[in-house]
Each structure stands twice: as C-alpha cells, then as structure tokens.
Amino acid sequence: MPEKIISMKKIGKDFSGVQVLKAVDFNIYDGKIMALIGENGAGKSTLMKILTGVYTKTSGEIMMNGKEVHFSSTKGSQKNGIAIIHQELNLIQHLSIGENIYLGREPITNMKNIKWKQLYEESQKWLDKLGLDEDPRELIMNISVGKQQLVEIAKALSLKAKVIIMDEPTGALTVSETEKLFSVIMELKEQGHSIVYISHRLKEIFEICDYVTVLRDGELIGENSINELDEDKIIEMMVGRKLSEQYPRIPLEPGEVVLEVKNLNNQFVKDVSFQLHQGEILGVAGLMGAGRTELARTLYGIYRKDNGEIYLDHKKIRLNSPTDALKQGIAYVSEDRKSNGIVLGLNVRENITLPSLKSYSGKIGNILKTKEEESARKYINSMSIKTSGSKQLLKYLSGGNQQKVSIAKNLDTSPRILILDEPTRGVDVGAKKEIYELINQFKQDGMSIIMISSEIPEILGMSDRIMVMHEGGIMGILNRDEATQENIMSLAVGKEVS
C-alpha cells in the first residue's frame, strides 16, 4: 500500500441537529489519484469542505503526515498544501490570467505597489509547467473553459499544493480539453502530487483513478483499489441496489408529425431541416460547438431565425420570443440550470410555478397560494422530488432534485414539445435513472421530446431517432438500427456514414 499523507477518521458533521456525515473515513495516498463518488447529497462536498477548512467537523480527526491537524479556514488548509478546484470555477473574468493566479497574494513593494513584472514572470512559469500556451496578461474571459481549468490548477500549484481536489472538472469541457486535462493530471501524479477526483462520469474514474471511495447518505460504503471494481459494482455501492437497466427506453410507435423545421438559418445554424413526431424522443448529438444548444434556443425563440420555416401541426408559426414558444406549447429545459433554469434563492413551489404565474393570479393580481401549493405538491409527488416541503429553498436540494424542479416548472406550462438540453448533466446515476423514467412517462403521455446530450450512451439508450450536428448543420439522422457510437462520432466530426 502507498503511504497515507492524509487520513480523515470517523468524521461526523451536524447541521442544526441533522447528521449529514456519520463516522466517515477517507484516505489520501501519496502520489495517487483518489476518486470520491456518491449520489448527490451523499456528503462528498461536505467532507471536502471540512478538509479545506470551510466547515468545522462535529466529530472525528484529521491526520496529516501522522500528526493531527485542525483547519478553521481555507488559509489554514492552503498553508498545509491542500487546494480545491470547484465545479463552478472561481476566476474573475475581467482580470488577467496572472492576476487570477496570484489574486490576494500579489508580490508587492515596500510602498504596497504590485510588482507586475514579477507577477507575470512567476505566472508564466506555472503556465509553462502545465503546457498552457497563453500570455499571462490575457484576460480570463478570452480563453476557453478548458484553459480556465488549467489556470485553476496553475493557481493551486502556485500555492505549493501537495493535494489538489477537483470537483467535476470535465463538466463543461470538450473531448480534446478533457484529454488535455487528463494528461496534466497524470503529469501531476508523476511529480508526486495527490489528486482527489470527484465525478459522476464512471468512465473517467476507470481511466485515471487508482482508488475509489464511495459515500451513500453520509456514510462510508467502501474504499477499493480501482482494479477490484467494475461499473456495475460501483453503481450498486452508490445507490444501494442494482440498476438492472441503465437506460430504460420504452419502444412506442411514433404518431403524426408534430413539428417540422425547413431550411432554418441564422448566425448559429445552417440550413437545418427535420421532423419530430408525437410520442417520439429525437436525440441530438454532436461535439461541443456543433450548434445543438443554439438550435434549441432558436426553436424556443431566444435566437431569431434569419430565414427558414417552422411548422406546428402543418401550420407555419413564428417564434420571436420564449413567450411565443410557450404559447405554441414548446418548453425548453436549459443545459445550465443554475443560470437559466432555476432560481436558487426561491423555494420549490415558487420555482415550479414561476413561468405560469398568470394561471395562479386572482382578479386583482394576487397569487392564489392554495392553487399554487396544490400544483407544487402534484409535481413533488409525481416526480419524487426529495424535499422537506414545497417551501424549502432550492439551493438546499441536491443537483438531481434541482434538475427535476427545472423540468417540473416547464411541465407546468403544459407543453406538447419538450426540449431537454443535457437533462442529466451533473446528476448522479440514481437520479439519472429517475429522470429517464420521467422522460419515458412524458413519451407515453404523447409528448414529443428533443433531447440534447453529450453522452453518446445516453443518446443511444433513450432515443427513437438520433440527429447528429456538425458546425451548425445536420450531418445525418439515424434510425435505431443504424445508430452506433462509431456512426455518431463519424457524423459528429463531419464524415459521411456509408
């Protein structure tokens, strides 16, 4: 066994009498990559916030290099060589790369002036170490998300971090950016750094991790070498049961054409034409930047079309705003739920009814709370939203339950066509299965669904037909019998399928 550099023993954490961690053990080994996984709400973030000094533990101890340590702030953990890279990057877009790396730690003169030359020279050393070919004077807003991830790693290295915690680092990365990140992670491992890797993407766990620690409901389920596990075993450990079928697609004969798009063009999409049938799931695949989200936002009226035609039930319609789309029965669940899908500061009920407030308004403009509450409870029950009640603030729900609320608020508009953009992004495997079952129910109820996903197994597992986009256009539409991972990827990179 490799040497333990950090050992968290019997860690407990209570919030207002509610126990969220129960005697959890977690080990970090020298020069190894440790996966920390579990469903949303399992306690992963709480455990890492204790390690990094954001929270104080209720019980247990943290041993570092054989000595007990106590972190009451993030500065304390940083001084001990621990850094965390959050899922939502903590970078200031209007500052330069170098300014972000040394923010709050800028080298200064005796007169308290910043030594800019030294700051940028030091920043350049860390960028060179990571193979990031960018000028440290470049503004963060001008570089890709993948490169911003590397800037966060440069920042961690500048702190002389021995342990680097990465929380869902590939969530918004392209395939090439993910490969670059993995290359950097493996180099850091070779240089003796220890990495804690938090991800819902099991394929990534098997690709780069050495050990796996699984949490469930605030308890340790097990720590294993990656060689002792397979995907099925990990899923069973995470959810406490076997998932007999990961993608529970229900085959149904599609109905009449509901939506038809002909030669749609704007600055984002080129000559797009397709049909959508009643009770059909049309999957939309493609690489990052292929125009999938832009097509969805055009159909929802966020982006204007330059030319082309859209037909609903064989009648031409105009979609100049989301209000137009909602009136036509088209709803859109955004890929970025926190920015465009939900309001974290509002409660569950308020989020669900937000787009449909007119239907909950009395004659003098007052909100009919009883009617609103009845609708919220209906969705909470029918969609198995795990919450203490309709008045619970959304920020306290897990990612999977936040996503269900984002879907529920769109269902409350009574749509005929539901556009789901990355419906399971950042959602654990158990909640994914629940969302798939909801999608199947919508399909059985006669709803027509456009489902955009970057996960090819998800697209293959749930779709009736698959439309593949490349550089704003449609490269091909595959039926289930011709849809394979190879065919999808060929079309996604602009290659015709024979």
Side-chain angles (χ1 to χ4, degrees):
M1 285 288 286
E3 180 186 353
K4 292 180 187 177
I5 58 171
I6 292 178
S7 181
M8 302 181 76
K9 298 181 178 181
K10 306 295 181 186
I11 300 296
K13 180 62 181 175
D14 294 351
F15 288 106
S16 302
V18 178
Q19 197 170 14
V20 295
L21 289 178
K22 307 162 191 172
V24 171
D25 292 343
F26 180 63
N27 298 310
I28 298 176
Y29 297 101
D30 190 24
K32 299 296 180 182
I33 303 173
M34 277 64 55
L36 178 61
I37 61 176
E39 295 189 88
N40 288 324
K44 306 184 300 295
S45 295
T46 302
L47 188 65
M48 290 301 96
K49 284 178 179 177
I50 289 171
L51 180 58
T52 53
V54 177
Y55 294 156
T56 55
K57 61 188 179 339
T58 305
S59 58
E61 61 181 13
I62 302 174
M63 305 295 292
M64 190 167 188
N65 297 319
K67 296 179 180 178
E68 188 171 2
V69 291
H70 301 274
F71 301 138
S72 57
S73 68
T74 53
K75 283 187 177 180
S77 65
Q78 287 174 0
K79 284 181 181 177
N80 280 272
I82 303 170
I84 184 166
I85 300 171
H86 296 280
Q87 186 174 1
E88 286 85 19
L89 300 179
N90 290 325
L91 297 172
I92 299 176
Q93 297 295 310
H94 293 280
L95 294 184
S96 69
I97 292 172
E99 288 172 305
N100 271 280
I101 290 174
Y102 282 100
L103 188 63
R105 303 177 294 116
E106 299 88 349
I108 56 175
T109 66
N110 292 333
M111 300 296 291
K112 305 297 182 182
N113 295 318
I114 295 175
K115 298 178 181 179
W116 290 107
K117 185 171 183 288
Q118 182 181 336
L119 182 146
Y120 287 123
E121 284 177 351
E122 291 294 324
S123 298
Q124 189 66 61
K125 290 177 185 177
W126 298 117
L127 299 183
D128 291 344
K129 185 178 179 70
L130 296 174
L132 185 54
D133 187 21
E134 295 288 341
D135 189 325
R137 295 169 179 79
E138 184 67 74
L139 296 182
I140 284 290
M141 70 171 70
N142 295 332
I143 66 174
S144 71
V145 175
K147 290 180 177 178
Q148 289 182 31
Q149 281 279 10
L150 296 181
V151 171
E152 283 276 27
I153 295 175
K155 187 175 178 180
L157 294 178
S158 75
L159 290 163
K160 296 182 170 55
K162 170 71 173 174
V163 175
I164 301 175
I165 303 162
M166 298 184 181
D167 189 357
E168 295 285 354
T170 62
L173 302 191
T174 64
V175 173
S176 60
E177 287 173 337
T178 297
E179 289 174 353
K180 172 63 177 174
L181 177 65
F182 285 179
S183 174
V184 168
I185 288 173
M186 298 309 289
E187 286 177 21
L188 292 173
K189 174 184 170 180
E190 290 298 317
Q191 293 163 10
H193 295 274
S194 301
I195 311 292
V196 177
Y197 193 85
I198 302 172
S199 179
H200 289 121
R201 299 181 176 184
L202 298 187
K203 180 176 177 290
E204 296 178 356
I205 300 298
F206 284 94
E207 190 169 343
I208 64 169
C209 294
D210 300 300
Y211 293 90
V212 178
T213 298
V214 180
L215 302 184
R216 185 172 76 236
D217 297 330
E219 297 186 67
L220 173 68
I221 300 304
E223 176 196 293
N224 297 84
S225 165
I226 193 69
N227 300 322
E228 299 170 350
L229 300 168
D230 58 26
E231 283 198 17
D232 290 340
K233 179 61 178 174
I234 288 181
I235 290 171
E236 188 177 345
M237 292 171 73
M238 287 172 66
V239 302
R241 64 188 189 279
K242 291 185 178 181
L243 293 184
S244 55
E245 187 182 353
Q246 195 170 359
Y247 304 104
R249 176 181 172 270
I250 295 175
L252 290 176
E253 192 68 32
E256 296 293 316
V257 173
V258 174
L259 179 73
E260 184 168 13
V261 176
K262 292 184 178 180
N263 308 114
L264 188 67
N265 284 277
N266 60 18
Q267 66 185 99
F268 306 109
V269 298
K270 306 171 188 173
D271 201 31
V272 167
S273 298
F274 68 93
Q275 294 180 334
L276 177 68
H277 296 80
Q278 183 181 16
E280 177 185 36
I281 299 176
L282 177 64
V284 184
L287 301 177
M288 194 79 73
R292 298 167 301 166
T293 293
E294 290 75 11
L295 173 60
R297 292 167 75 87
T298 301
L299 294 175
Y300 191 55
I302 296 173
Y303 300 144
R304 297 286 187 94
K305 66 180 177 67
D306 293 335
N307 50 60
E309 297 168 337
I310 302 172
Y311 294 86
L312 188 66
D313 296 329
H314 308 294
K315 295 178 182 177
K316 189 189 292 190
I317 60 172
R318 302 183 73 172
L319 300 172
N320 294 324
S321 70
T323 301
D324 290 343
L326 288 170
K327 284 179 180 177
Q328 297 290 347
I330 301 172
Y332 170 57
V333 179
S334 169
E335 64 174 337
D336 186 352
R337 62 176 174 265
K338 289 186 178 177
S339 296
N340 302 315
I342 53 178
V343 183
L344 293 173
L346 296 182
N347 64 36
V348 173
R349 184 193 70 214
E350 291 164 337
N351 269 278
I352 289 174
T353 60
L354 191 60
S356 313
L357 275 181
K358 193 172 182 181
S359 65
Y360 297 100
S361 299
K363 292 180 180 179
I364 59 172
N366 59 308
I367 301 298
L368 304 173
K369 296 290 187 183
T370 302
K371 185 179 178 183
E372 196 183 27
E373 179 69 21
E374 286 174 358
S375 285
R377 287 190 178 280
K378 179 185 75 173
Y379 289 111
I380 290 170
N381 293 331
S382 65
M383 299 178 69
S384 299
I385 298 171
K386 295 183 180 69
T387 173
S388 62
S390 66
K391 294 180 182 178
Q392 184 171 20
L393 294 182
L394 213 66
K395 63 183 178 182
Y396 296 125
L397 268 60
S398 70
N401 286 296
Q402 288 179 2
Q403 184 69 353
K404 288 181 184 179
V405 171
S406 183
I407 294 171
K409 66 178 281 196
N410 284 281
L411 293 179
D412 201 44
T413 66
S414 302
R416 296 180 58 207
I417 296 168
L418 183 62
I419 304 172
L420 298 170
D421 195 351
E422 303 286 359
T424 64
R425 174 174 286 171
V427 173
D428 59 67
V429 288
K432 276 187 180 183
K433 180 79 178 290
E434 292 177 344
I435 289 173
Y436 296 148
E437 288 171 344
L438 286 171
I439 293 171
N440 276 333
Q441 186 60 56
F442 305 155
K443 175 181 172 179
Q444 287 179 302
D445 292 342
M447 196 180 296
S448 304
I449 297 164
I450 297 174
M451 188 179 79
I452 300 166
S453 177
S454 298
E455 296 187 28
I456 293 180
E458 181 173 81
I459 284 283
L460 286 168
M462 293 297 296
S463 305
D464 297 305
R465 290 185 301 143
I466 299 170
M467 183 166 73
V468 186
M469 297 189 68
H470 172 71
E471 294 183 350
I474 294 176
M475 278 299 297
I477 299 178
L478 303 171
N479 294 318
R480 282 195 64 81
D481 58 358
E482 57 188 353
T484 63
Q485 189 152 338
E486 292 74 21
N487 283 347
I488 290 173
M489 283 307 300
S490 293
L491 292 170
V493 298
K495 182 181 175 183
E496 296 284 351
V497 174
S498 55

